[in-house]
Amino acid sequence: MEITRHTFSEQLETVIKDINESAFIAIDGEFTGLDATASGHASHFDTPEERYNKIRQECSDFLLIQFGLCAFKADEEKRRYEAKPYNFYIFPTPLTRHAPDRRFLCQSSSIDFLCSQGFDFNKLFKEGIPFLIPDEENKLKAELERKHEEARKSGSGLLTSPYQGSAKKNYASIPEEQKPFLDNICEQIAEYLKGQDKEPLVIPPCNAFQRKLIYQTVEERFPDAHIETKTGEKKIRYMEVTRAKSPEEQQKLLKEKQNLEKMELDIQVGFTKVIRAITSSGKLVVGHNMFLDVFHILNNFHGTLPADLEEFKAVTKSVFPRLLDTKLMASTRPLQELISFSGLSDVLQTLQSPPFLPVQVDVAEGFERYHNGAGALHEAGYDALITGRCFATMVNYLGTLQNPPKEFTLPSSHIVEPFVNKLFLMRINDIPYLNLDGPDLRVNREHVFHVTFPKEWKPSDLHALFQPYGAVQISWLTETTAYVALHKKENASMALKALSQHVGSFHVISYAAHHLSKSTRFLSASSPAPLSSPSIPAKRKLKVNEADTVPRKAKRHSLTDEVSPYPVIPEEDESLNDSTTETVQHESCNSDLGQKMEDGETEKTKEKLFDESGTW
Amino acid sequence: MEITRHTFSEQLETVIKDINESAFIAIDGEFTGLDATASGHASHFDTPEERYNKIRQECSDFLLIQFGLCAFKADEEKRRYEAKPYNFYIFPTPLTRHAPDRRFLCQSSSIDFLCSQGFDFNKLFKEGIPFLIPDEENKLKAELERKHEEARKSGSGLLTSPYQGSAKKNYASIPEEQKPFLDNICEQIAEYLKGQDKEPLVIPPCNAFQRKLIYQTVEERFPDAHIETKTGEKKIRYMEVTRAKSPEEQQKLLKEKQNLEKMELDIQVGFTKVIRAITSSGKLVVGHNMFLDVFHILNNFHGTLPADLEEFKAVTKSVFPRLLDTKLMASTRPLQELISFSGLSDVLQTLQSPPFLPVQVDVAEGFERYHNGAGALHEAGYDALITGRCFATMVNYLGTLQNPPKEFTLPSSHIVEPFVNKLFLMRINDIPYLNLDGPDLRVNREHVFHVTFPKEWKPSDLHALFQPYGAVQISWLTETTAYVALHKKENASMALKALSQHVGSFHVISYAAHHLSKSTRFLSASSPAPLSSPSIPAKRKLKVNEADTVPRKAKRHSLTDEVSPYPVIPEEDESLNDSTTETVQHESCNSDLGQKMEDGETEKTKEKLFDESGTW
């Protein structure tokens, strides 16, 4: 169901009810852009801290313009769900003169992509639901209360002249050529006041200076008249004159006016209320590749986000107590072995065939837009619906692997727990997710090097440089720097020894050394130490190769005796099924590529990925 | 006539012809925002340098999204013009993968305002004409030439596989579960190659990784096949297989492909060509309150603008050799006395009645949109049309004041010269325009003070502070600073003496002292001295109260013996008409207010103006 500014107030209660009655909700967002700069926000060897801060720098100025929310109500008996997919258009139109006039960034290719998917920008700008972050709301509320209190004290709140109470010396002197115009208006008003007409006297549109002159003239000459500026079609302003009211009537009108102002503020709070309803429901919130969605939701409806990753995690959990990313689920064993591509439409397609059995999801009455599977990918409401469908089917499949197998598994099952509060990290090979519930995985990157080289260098030059040590994966950072990872990890120390001693056109250092120097530069540039946080001492953060590091998987399907960085599904007892007793694993290359296509990034970006990818 | 991406190429020649045949052209632009920050870009006591740099900082990230161009062809015999109003939608969609993916800022209230005026954003984003600044075009051209040269040398340019020529080690290994999929594709291709079908074999959409696998498999196994990726509806990519061609056919196809690429680049240059046509035509370009329009045109179609005002003037003149601002014309004597409000729609209305005689302007055949005066204000094409109408009528009126009076005066008349290359400066009381042809006016601001005060202060506190010296005009700078101007200039030195000695909650210094300290801070912060320029020595710029200062007019209609800062219309001989022999003058307050309303700024801004305005 499409929700715009015009239907929001009447639908809000139903939306909240649907959230509260659901077994889980699925969400999706559409934004005005992806990266504020051409250099983008992803490298294969980002740490979670780096990735988060790149997103913060690259994405904070874009706007979330469409929000999909699909509430899934479970019917355990009939082994089905009833889905209610809502599609909200969201735009920060300042509805009152005090509302913030937001500036936001757009990326041409993103706007073009949304257009090609049928996104209706006219509807967005004309009918988008406004929103306020809590800080803004509190400030506006305080201002309004102060204003109302003053009006109650002085009894002058009803007078809507913006010049009311200002010193006489602010009055404009009346230019000679405006006098006939004003005389004519005054005649009309005098006539109107003598009569009995219940309707207000409408003064035709005139410019702002003329309105000011009318205000001050009426105030001086007609104490019995009440004058007000109204906004008509095409934002053209005109004035209305009515007869002044008795003190009792004035009190009543004052009360009405103040209530109206409170209501206007309430309308401006708008979509933020839906996010608050999700928070208080405590429901599981499911999304596909949802890190950016979560980021934008918090940034738009909660407030500016902190530089520190641990603080960001705390904020996230305060707004979304339980999150689950279906892209992580699909990219983790045992599902990863059955789902070749983890892009949303690929997953949906894969889940249609055995061994999967699609869970019955009935779109509720009144939500005809997506009946019978109809709908458009990249419309947030539809994407939320199919994300939830995929989630329900995947959960059910995992249930069938239990001992004894379950025919219908609800999201409240313990099976789901390993995936809760972990956000999929795009294009990071060895750290599959951001862990909201604690410290992130630390990985061994001894086979990764930071290389500086002349800007003329091409990938082939880097391949040639490392040729003695086998194949490499390149992750470009700038025109003259890149991370280079050895396929054959055992050659790492040999390569470092040989290459790091070179003095000349290129410069090779270990990943750890590069990070240490970066962190040191960062720490000395800005204090107090931004890398430290209550939960993880800075020392532990800086030494990425020590203590709690977790080696990354060398290859898909390979079994190693290393500790797994991936979520492990708990078993009720010893399983008969090999695939679930194995350490669950993650497949990064394919899923990235599948998702890239869907995300509407340019062919250019994709090709660059191809050049460098492979399964490492 | 509306021009979009789809009609641009076929219409361009006609547009250029119309420009070249015109007596003058009128222009107008619509933008995605006005001010990047809430503090905005205008103060009543800006210097031209300050105003320009505020605009540069506040407006550079917004986009010009609609351009109105109206060519006026004169028919001297019939004393009429034929008008051809074009309305261009402009949007930087990256049409090829190499085109820049521009990021731009939007201001919610501006977007909302354009929507309320019927602006069609879907049309803009889907059908907007692209553009490139010359630097971008040259870079893309050089890249393309290099690529084509390489292809000619190697003979490999026809192969469109992005993996072509890359080392084998970049090839992805084929995952087990993809083998059936690939085998099926290979069977289809083998079958196709055996047959005689002239049509290409279409491979259904698959994801990017699968396309990579298909490319590399086809390259290895089918040397006789040619494979290409195409983009279909909703940006979905699919592949087409054709039979490999003979060397001659391949050469022909290579040529065709290269020509296509050149054409694509040419299409991306897009709207920039219209601006170039205006430049080479050398025609008079007329706009109403056109400083922002000129700024955005240069910024969007010429390149990033310099920090130095004199350099900006040089750039402006290189693109627009002759500019004329109708708002300046309407706000200058003798017209100013007859035109109370200088907003575009006010001027249009005023010019309908005596003493003005509207010049006959016939909208040409094929331009039905604005026939019979129909049209929507704030649609750039319509605004350009009425701007030109107003200009023609005002020029004609000035002609009737000549001795002997002329019945029909063309814009080539010397009457127009005093207004050429002067851009109206909004809301600056005493410097009516930016002079593109030389140094700007220097004014005496001895009666203006810079005041610092606690943030709790309201206008009434400032009025009270200056009460002993008469009425004041306040121009807020920040929450705690403002310029305050005395109405009674003769009290200036007395006020400065008394107030500047105060030590405590507020701090008063002279305007000149404040500017000097600002400039000194600025100069010491950034060298080489940015305030200096070849034409005006820095010294002269800093000492605003000396030498060539021009006192500002104290009051409208007042005659003084001061040198006038306003354009003076040259007379052919002694005039019998008093109003034209008088020093022409300028009326600032009313015109500002009128324009404010039109510009769609918030009521809040306007009110602030009221609080502080008056005729000084």
Side-chain angles (χ1 to χ4, degrees):
Chain A
M1 183 182 290
E2 194 169 274
I3 312 250
T4 65
R5 192 192 308 168
H6 306 307
T7 57
F8 182 70
S9 295
E10 73 193 47
Q11 292 292 335
L12 181 61
E13 227 171 287
T14 319
V15 173
I16 295 175
K17 187 167 162 279
D18 290 338
I19 292 171
N20 288 329
E21 289 177 356
S22 71
F24 71 94
I25 63 170
I27 63 164
D28 183 61
E30 301 295 336
F31 328 120
T32 58
L34 291 172
D35 304 297
T37 62
S39 56
H41 63 242
S43 149
H44 288 286
F45 297 102
D46 282 334
T47 63
E49 287 84 1
E50 285 172 328
R51 175 61 59 87
Y52 167 65
N53 272 300
K54 283 184 185 177
I55 288 179
R56 213 171 55 87
Q57 282 153 27
E58 292 287 329
C59 302
S60 289
D61 293 334
F62 295 115
L63 216 56
L64 185 150
I65 50 176
Q66 200 176 57
F67 186 85
L69 183 160
C70 189
F72 287 80
K73 193 173 173 179
D75 184 339
E76 210 173 346
E77 204 170 302
K78 293 190 180 155
R79 295 173 185 174
R80 64 181 272 280
Y81 290 92
E82 186 186 58
K84 293 187 175 169
Y86 293 98
N87 193 43
F88 298 88
Y89 282 82
I90 299 171
F91 189 70
T93 307
L95 296 180
T96 69
R97 62 164 72 167
H98 302 291
D101 183 10
R102 223 169 285 260
R103 279 75 167 172
F104 60 95
L105 210 59
C106 293
Q107 184 170 352
S108 303
S109 59
S110 300
I111 300 294
D112 182 50
F113 178 77
L114 285 173
C115 267
S116 73
Q117 307 301 311
F119 191 98
D120 187 340
F121 280 94
N122 287 338
K123 186 177 277 176
L124 172 72
F125 296 148
K126 276 185 204 160
E127 302 178 41
I129 305 157
F131 57 89
L132 287 179
I133 60 169
D135 277 359
E136 293 167 336
E137 184 190 352
N138 294 338
K139 200 178 143 213
L140 291 178
K141 215 171 236 169
E143 270 171 28
L144 201 60
E145 273 164 19
R146 188 189 49 72
K147 194 182 129 196
H148 287 181
E149 187 55 34
E150 270 179 21
R152 264 188 296 274
K153 278 184 197 156
S154 71
S156 70
L158 193 60
L159 291 151
T160 50
S161 160
Y163 322 108
Q164 184 63 24
S166 56
K168 282 279 175 204
K169 55 181 166 271
N170 276 337
Y171 272 39
S173 56
I174 299 168
E176 207 52 47
E177 79 278 5
Q178 288 303 315
K179 285 183 179 160
F181 166 79
L182 277 173
D183 288 344
N184 174 278
I185 301 279
C186 287
E187 259 175 53
Q188 287 182 46
I189 294 174
E191 196 66 31
Y192 170 79
L193 291 177
K194 270 191 259 164
Q196 297 296 323
D197 200 344
K198 292 259 186 262
E199 294 301 305
L201 169 69
V202 176
I203 296 173
C206 48
N207 71 35
F209 181 68
Q210 289 174 317
R211 290 205 303 277
K212 177 183 163 70
L213 294 179
I214 294 173
Y215 261 121
Q216 63 185 47
T217 310
V218 168
E219 256 182 34
E220 259 180 51
R221 291 178 46 184
F222 300 103
D224 290 345
H226 169 70
I227 190 156
E228 214 169 332
T229 295
K230 306 231 163 177
T231 305
E233 253 183 76
K234 292 206 164 193
K235 297 209 182 276
I236 288 171
R237 293 203 175 75
Y238 63 95
M239 297 174 110
E240 273 187 9
V241 179
T242 48
R243 278 171 212 88
K245 306 289 187 291
S246 71
E248 294 74 34
E249 275 180 313
Q250 288 204 21
Q251 269 307 311
K252 205 182 133 210
L253 284 173
L254 176 61
K255 194 85 200 156
E256 276 173 20
K257 189 181 159 240
Q258 294 188 342
N259 285 340
L260 187 73
E261 285 175 340
K262 281 183 198 158
M263 211 159 74
E264 280 171 351
L265 173 57
D266 193 63
I267 290 171
Q268 190 77 44
V269 176
F271 186 75
T272 308
K273 292 177 188 174
V274 175
I275 301 302
R276 288 181 194 161
I278 296 175
T279 304
S280 24
S281 78
K283 298 288 177 180
L284 179 69
V285 175
V286 174
H288 193 84
N289 201 16
M290 74 193 304
F291 192 1
L292 266 190
D293 300 87
V294 168
F295 179 88
H296 280 288
I297 293 167
L298 296 174
N299 191 48
N300 275 264
F301 311 120
H302 185 82
T304 311
L305 289 166
D308 181 80
L309 177 61
E310 298 305 317
E311 277 178 44
F312 167 75
K313 290 180 183 179
V315 171
T316 306
K317 289 198 63 176
S318 76
V319 176
F320 295 118
R322 283 171 67 79
L323 287 171
L324 186 143
D325 194 326
T326 45
K327 188 169 172 88
L328 180 68
M329 209 171 179
S331 315
T332 304
R333 282 200 175 174
L335 292 164
Q336 170 254 123
E337 299 196 325
L338 302 162
I339 301 174
S340 304
F341 305 108
S342 66
L344 180 57
S345 58
D346 293 315
V347 173
L348 181 70
Q349 202 185 346
T350 306
L351 296 179
Q352 307 298 314
S353 321
F356 299 106
L357 201 69
V359 170
Q360 187 183 342
V361 174
D362 301 317
V363 176
E365 295 258 336
F367 292 78
E368 282 70 21
R369 192 169 172 83
Y370 305 131
H371 260 174
N372 306 319
L377 265 176
H378 303 292
E379 184 164 288
Y382 181 73
D383 281 6
L385 170 64
I386 61 175
T387 298
R389 261 187 213 277
C390 291
F391 173 65
T393 299
M394 289 194 288
V395 170
N396 235 31
Y397 175 75
L398 293 178
T400 63
L401 303 181
Q402 297 288 300
N403 189 1
K406 289 183 79 174
E407 279 198 58
F408 187 68
T409 307
L410 282 173
S412 51
S413 161
H414 69 287
I415 293 178
V416 168
E417 287 312 311
F419 300 101
V420 171
N421 291 341
K422 297 185 173 71
L423 302 180
F424 185 79
L425 287 173
M426 283 272 285
R427 270 196 267 179
I428 299 185
N429 296 7
D430 49 3
I431 309 177
Y433 58 82
L434 186 79
N435 182 17
L436 296 174
D437 280 339
D440 288 299
L441 299 165
R442 296 287 152 181
V443 288
N444 184 336
R445 286 177 177 171
E446 272 172 13
H447 63 298
V448 183
F449 305 99
H450 182 269
V451 190
T452 310
F453 44 82
K455 75 170 192 293
E456 292 75 27
W457 275 33
K458 289 173 185 169
S460 55
D461 295 302
L462 284 169
H463 284 293
L465 182 66
F466 283 88
Q467 194 269 328
Y469 317 102
V472 293
Q473 177 185 25
I474 301 166
S475 178
W476 295 91
L477 295 170
T478 67
E479 242 190 338
T480 59
T481 57
Y483 285 130
V484 177
L486 293 184
H487 192 179
K488 292 183 181 153
K489 291 184 188 181
E490 60 272 24
N491 290 342
S493 62
M494 191 168 58
L496 183 65
K497 206 172 159 194
L499 296 172
S500 64
Q501 283 166 11
H502 175 88
V503 178
S505 63
F506 67 87
H507 180 56
V508 176
I509 59 171
S510 73
Y511 176 88
H514 172 66
H515 256 245
L516 197 61
S517 80
K518 240 177 63 170
S519 307
T520 314
R521 281 201 304 276
F522 186 42
L523 284 171
S524 60
S526 62
S527 57
L531 282 180
S532 71
S533 77
S535 56
I536 308 185
K539 189 183 151 209
R540 194 162 145 209
K541 279 196 159 178
L542 295 177
K543 297 192 176 174
V544 291
N545 289 321
E546 284 186 8
D548 60 339
T549 61
V550 181
R552 53 191 282 283
K553 296 295 155 186
K555 227 180 152 183
R556 206 177 158 242
H557 295 302
S558 76
L559 273 175
T560 68
D561 50 6
E562 292 168 337
V563 180
S564 165
Y566 306 97
V568 181
I569 299 161
E571 289 299 308
E572 281 175 355
D573 52 13
E574 288 303 310
S575 168
L576 299 170
N577 185 316
D578 269 350
S579 71
T580 57
T581 52
E582 276 177 33
T583 301
V584 283
Q585 284 201 338
H586 172 262
E587 193 277 307
S588 63
C589 170
N590 294 3
S591 46
D592 279 357
L593 295 169
Q595 183 62 27
K596 292 307 296 171
M597 183 176 64
E598 276 203 359
D599 288 349
E601 298 200 14
T602 62
E603 184 77 26
K604 196 176 170 184
T605 324
K606 256 174 283 155
E607 259 178 51
K608 211 170 159 191
L609 256 183
F610 283 141
D611 287 346
E612 302 152 14
S613 67
T615 308
W616 298 95
Chain B
M1 184 182 289
E2 193 169 274
I3 311 250
T4 66
R5 192 193 307 167
H6 306 306
T7 57
F8 182 70
S9 294
E10 74 194 47
Q11 292 293 335
L12 180 61
E13 227 171 286
T14 319
V15 173
I16 294 175
K17 187 167 161 281
D18 290 338
I19 291 171
N20 289 329
E21 289 177 356
S22 71
F24 71 95
I25 63 170
I27 62 164
D28 183 61
E30 300 295 335
F31 328 121
T32 58
L34 291 171
D35 303 297
T37 62
S39 55
H41 63 243
S43 149
H44 288 286
F45 297 102
D46 282 334
T47 63
E49 287 84 1
E50 286 173 327
R51 174 62 58 86
Y52 167 66
N53 272 300
K54 283 184 186 177
I55 288 179
R56 213 171 54 88
Q57 282 154 27
E58 292 287 329
C59 303
S60 289
D61 293 333
F62 295 114
L63 216 57
L64 186 149
I65 49 177
Q66 199 176 57
F67 186 85
L69 183 159
C70 188
F72 287 81
K73 193 173 173 178
D75 185 341
E76 211 172 345
E77 204 170 302
K78 293 189 182 157
R79 296 174 185 173
R80 62 180 272 280
Y81 289 94
E82 186 186 59
K84 293 186 175 170
Y86 292 99
N87 192 42
F88 299 86
Y89 282 82
I90 299 171
F91 189 71
T93 307
L95 295 180
T96 69
R97 62 165 73 169
H98 302 292
D101 183 9
R102 222 171 285 261
R103 279 75 168 173
F104 60 94
L105 210 60
C106 293
Q107 184 170 350
S108 303
S109 60
S110 300
I111 300 294
D112 182 49
F113 178 77
L114 285 173
C115 267
S116 73
Q117 307 301 310
F119 192 99
D120 187 341
F121 280 94
N122 287 337
K123 185 177 277 175
L124 173 71
F125 296 147
K126 276 184 203 160
E127 303 178 40
I129 305 157
F131 58 90
L132 287 179
I133 60 169
D135 277 358
E136 293 167 338
E137 184 189 354
N138 294 338
K139 200 178 143 214
L140 291 178
K141 215 171 235 166
E143 269 172 28
L144 200 60
E145 274 163 17
R146 187 189 50 72
K147 193 183 132 196
H148 286 181
E149 187 54 35
E150 270 179 21
R152 265 188 296 275
K153 278 183 195 156
S154 71
S156 70
L158 192 60
L159 292 152
T160 49
S161 159
Y163 322 106
Q164 185 64 23
S166 57
K168 282 278 178 204
K169 56 177 166 275
N170 276 337
Y171 272 39
S173 56
I174 299 170
E176 206 53 47
E177 78 278 6
Q178 289 302 315
K179 285 182 178 160
F181 167 79
L182 278 173
D183 287 345
N184 173 278
I185 302 279
C186 287
E187 260 174 53
Q188 287 182 48
I189 294 175
E191 196 65 32
Y192 171 80
L193 291 176
K194 269 189 260 164
Q196 297 296 322
D197 199 346
K198 293 258 186 264
E199 293 301 304
L201 169 70
V202 175
I203 296 172
C206 48
N207 72 35
F209 182 69
Q210 289 175 316
R211 290 205 303 277
K212 176 182 165 71
L213 294 179
I214 294 173
Y215 261 121
Q216 63 185 47
T217 308
V218 169
E219 256 182 35
E220 258 180 50
R221 290 179 46 184
F222 300 104
D224 290 345
H226 169 70
I227 190 157
E228 214 169 332
T229 295
K230 306 232 163 176
T231 304
E233 252 182 76
K234 292 205 163 193
K235 298 207 182 279
I236 288 170
R237 294 204 173 74
Y238 63 95
M239 298 174 108
E240 272 187 10
V241 178
T242 48
R243 280 172 211 86
K245 305 291 187 293
S246 71
E248 294 74 32
E249 275 180 314
Q250 288 204 21
Q251 268 308 310
K252 205 183 133 211
L253 283 174
L254 175 62
K255 193 87 200 153
E256 276 173 20
K257 188 179 160 244
Q258 293 188 343
N259 285 340
L260 187 73
E261 285 175 341
K262 281 183 197 156
M263 212 159 73
E264 280 171 351
L265 173 57
D266 193 62
I267 290 172
Q268 189 77 46
V269 176
F271 186 76
T272 308
K273 292 177 187 174
V274 175
I275 301 302
R276 288 181 194 161
I278 296 174
T279 304
S280 22
S281 78
K283 298 287 177 181
L284 179 69
V285 176
V286 174
H288 192 84
N289 200 17
M290 74 193 305
F291 192 1
L292 266 189
D293 299 88
V294 168
F295 179 89
H296 280 288
I297 292 167
L298 297 174
N299 191 49
N300 275 263
F301 311 119
H302 185 82
T304 310
L305 289 166
D308 182 81
L309 177 62
E310 298 305 316
E311 278 178 44
F312 167 76
K313 290 180 183 179
V315 170
T316 305
K317 289 198 61 174
S318 75
V319 175
F320 295 118
R322 282 171 67 77
L323 287 172
L324 186 142
D325 194 326
T326 45
K327 189 171 172 83
L328 180 68
M329 209 170 178
S331 315
T332 303
R333 283 196 175 181
L335 293 163
Q336 170 255 122
E337 299 195 325
L338 302 162
I339 301 174
S340 305
F341 304 109
S342 66
L344 180 56
S345 58
D346 293 314
V347 173
L348 181 70
Q349 202 185 347
T350 306
L351 296 178
Q352 306 299 315
S353 321
F356 299 106
L357 202 69
V359 170
Q360 187 184 343
V361 174
D362 301 317
V363 176
E365 296 256 339
F367 292 76
E368 281 72 21
R369 193 171 171 81
Y370 306 131
H371 260 173
N372 306 320
L377 264 177
H378 303 290
E379 183 164 288
Y382 180 73
D383 281 6
L385 169 65
I386 61 175
T387 297
R389 261 187 213 278
C390 291
F391 172 65
T393 300
M394 289 193 288
V395 170
N396 236 32
Y397 175 76
L398 293 179
T400 64
L401 302 181
Q402 297 289 300
N403 190 0
K406 289 183 78 175
E407 278 198 61
F408 188 68
T409 307
L410 282 173
S412 50
S413 160
H414 70 286
I415 293 178
V416 168
E417 288 312 311
F419 300 102
V420 171
N421 291 340
K422 296 185 174 71
L423 303 180
F424 185 78
L425 287 172
M426 283 271 285
R427 271 197 265 179
I428 299 186
N429 297 6
D430 48 4
I431 309 176
Y433 58 83
L434 186 79
N435 182 18
L436 296 173
D437 281 338
D440 288 300
L441 299 164
R442 297 288 152 180
V443 288
N444 184 335
R445 286 179 177 169
E446 273 173 13
H447 64 299
V448 183
F449 306 98
H450 182 268
V451 190
T452 309
F453 43 82
K455 75 170 193 295
E456 292 74 26
W457 275 34
K458 290 175 184 167
S460 55
D461 295 301
L462 284 168
H463 285 293
L465 182 65
F466 283 87
Q467 193 269 330
Y469 317 102
V472 294
Q473 178 186 24
I474 301 166
S475 178
W476 295 92
L477 296 169
T478 66
E479 242 190 339
T480 59
T481 58
Y483 286 130
V484 176
L486 293 184
H487 191 179
K488 291 182 182 154
K489 291 184 188 181
E490 60 272 23
N491 290 342
S493 61
M494 191 168 58
L496 183 65
K497 207 171 157 194
L499 295 172
S500 64
Q501 284 166 9
H502 174 88
V503 179
S505 62
F506 67 88
H507 180 56
V508 176
I509 58 171
S510 73
Y511 176 87
H514 172 66
H515 256 245
L516 196 62
S517 79
K518 241 177 64 171
S519 307
T520 314
R521 281 201 303 277
F522 186 42
L523 285 170
S524 61
S526 61
S527 56
L531 282 180
S532 71
S533 77
S535 56
I536 307 185
K539 191 184 152 209
R540 195 162 144 211
K541 279 196 158 180
L542 295 178
K543 297 192 177 173
V544 291
N545 290 322
E546 283 185 8
D548 60 340
T549 61
V550 181
R552 53 190 283 285
K553 296 295 155 187
K555 224 178 154 189
R556 203 174 160 245
H557 296 299
S558 76
L559 273 174
T560 68
D561 50 5
E562 293 168 336
V563 180
S564 166
Y566 306 96
V568 181
I569 300 160
E571 290 299 307
E572 282 175 355
D573 53 13
E574 288 304 309
S575 168
L576 298 170
N577 186 316
D578 268 350
S579 69
T580 56
T581 53
E582 277 177 32
T583 301
V584 284
Q585 284 201 336
H586 172 263
E587 192 278 308
S588 63
C589 169
N590 293 4
S591 46
D592 280 357
L593 295 170
Q595 183 61 25
K596 292 307 296 172
M597 182 175 64
E598 276 203 358
D599 288 349
E601 299 200 13
T602 61
E603 183 77 26
K604 197 175 168 184
T605 324
K606 257 174 279 156
E607 257 178 51
K608 212 170 158 192
L609 257 181
F610 284 140
D611 286 345
E612 301 151 15
S613 68
T615 309
W616 298 95

